[in-house]
Amino acid sequence: DQQVKQNSPSLSVQEGRISILNCDYTNSMFDYFLWYKKYPAEGPTFLISISSIKDKNEDGRFTVFLNKSAKHLSLHIVPSQPGDSAVYFCAASGGTSYGKLTFGQGTILTVHP
Amino acid sequence: NAGVTQTPKFRILKIGQSMTLQCTQDMNHNYMYWYRQDPGMGLKLIYYSVGAGITDKGEVPNGYNVSRSTTEDFPLRLELAAPSQTSVYFCASSYPHLGTGEQYFGPGTRLTVT
């Protein structure tokens, strides 16, 4: 039972354009959502998060949007840069899983110069 | 701060062998975690610990054991290695009571069982 899903295994965008990565969840008890970025041969690194009491959180080029009624969140990267090429994981926590994260499968983002 | 460190970086095991993956963090985090990542998949939680002396199973604990005798260290033990345990293993730590509670990850251990 996949509680957090990233349905797009990969995404390819041109440098300077917007990248939109999507994530859906099924557990209505989740109240905190995070995005992680992972380069090859490295561990995931935290990128940005959002609490369920908000619908948007912005940090520089990165913005996360949360639609609780649709149980959907998205990460927008504007403008995209070649250095953003990585695997992006969304993760969720809350309810009985305090302190634990449930991860999606990841989306490989490739930004072409 | 070194953050979360893991050793070894790579290891090849024969079926039936055992080994311990080491994990240490220097951020004084009370929570620690072990994940595995298989190709094309997300991270699956193997075991976690909320403090020294306290451990609990995650989503995929079979074939693994853990201990937490200190705040800093959280080793993962594989007994009787099987090909299904070929994966990349990540250790992480967090202090979920503060801020966003994000987890900090080590660089990973790539394990092959043949």
Side-chain angles (χ1 to χ4, degrees):
Chain A
D1 176 27
Q2 191 90 29
Q3 296 189 68
V4 178
K5 288 185 182 178
Q6 294 174 254
N7 291 316
S8 297
S10 62
L11 174 67
S12 181
V13 299
Q14 209 65 33
E15 181 179 6
R17 307 293 287 268
I18 185 171
S19 295
I20 300 176
L21 296 98
N22 294 303
C23 179
D24 298 296
Y25 63 96
T26 58
N27 188 340
S28 56
M29 298 297 289
F30 287 145
D31 57 8
Y32 220 92
F33 303 89
L34 304 88
W35 284 93
Y36 279 81
K37 178 179 180 179
K38 184 184 177 306
Y39 292 117
E42 294 184 10
T45 55
F46 170 72
L47 190 57
I48 192 170
S49 64
I50 188 167
S51 163
S52 60
I53 63 173
K54 295 186 175 183
D55 54 19
K56 176 182 173 181
N57 188 27
E58 196 170 349
D59 184 2
R61 296 185 298 114
F62 303 91
T63 304
V64 57
F65 295 93
L66 175 62
N67 182 333
K68 279 193 298 182
S69 60
K71 293 192 177 70
H72 176 84
L73 62 154
S74 60
L75 174 69
H76 293 211
I77 306 174
V78 184
S80 301
Q81 299 173 353
D84 296 330
S85 297
V87 180
Y88 289 79
F89 292 100
C90 78
S93 71
T96 57
S97 62
Y98 177 77
K100 295 191 288 183
L101 294 176
T102 301
F103 284 85
Q105 309 96 303
T107 297
I108 302 170
L109 173 66
T110 304
V111 181
H112 299 283
Chain B
N1 283 357
V4 180
T5 56
Q6 292 183 238
T7 56
K9 283 187 166 43
F10 305 94
R11 183 74 186 265
I12 298 174
L13 279 183
K14 293 191 185 308
I15 294 171
Q17 287 185 323
S18 61
M19 76 165 293
T20 299
L21 283 68
Q22 302 292 345
C23 175
T24 301
Q25 55 94 7
D26 62 0
M27 297 174 281
N28 203 32
H29 287 165
N30 55 339
Y31 279 55
M32 294 188 75
Y33 315 81
W34 274 105
Y35 293 91
R36 59 177 286 172
Q37 186 194 8
D38 299 323
M41 305 292 287
L43 285 80
K44 302 283 188 186
L45 183 64
I46 304 171
Y47 270 95
Y48 69 102
S49 168
V50 302
I54 307 170
T55 63
D56 206 350
K57 296 177 181 179
E59 190 181 350
V60 289
N62 292 344
Y64 307 94
N65 276 301
V66 293
S67 60
R68 182 100 180 267
S69 56
T70 67
T71 300
E72 295 78 21
D73 300 304
F74 191 39
L76 177 72
R77 178 85 177 159
L78 278 73
E79 306 280 3
L80 297 174
S84 60
Q85 293 178 304
T86 293
S87 189
V88 181
Y89 292 83
F90 292 101
C91 178
S93 71
S94 76
Y95 190 70
H97 323 293
L98 188 66
T100 61
E102 70 264 24
Q103 295 180 14
Y104 295 80
F105 285 80
T109 294
R110 183 174 293 275
L111 176 68
T112 302
V113 182
T114 62

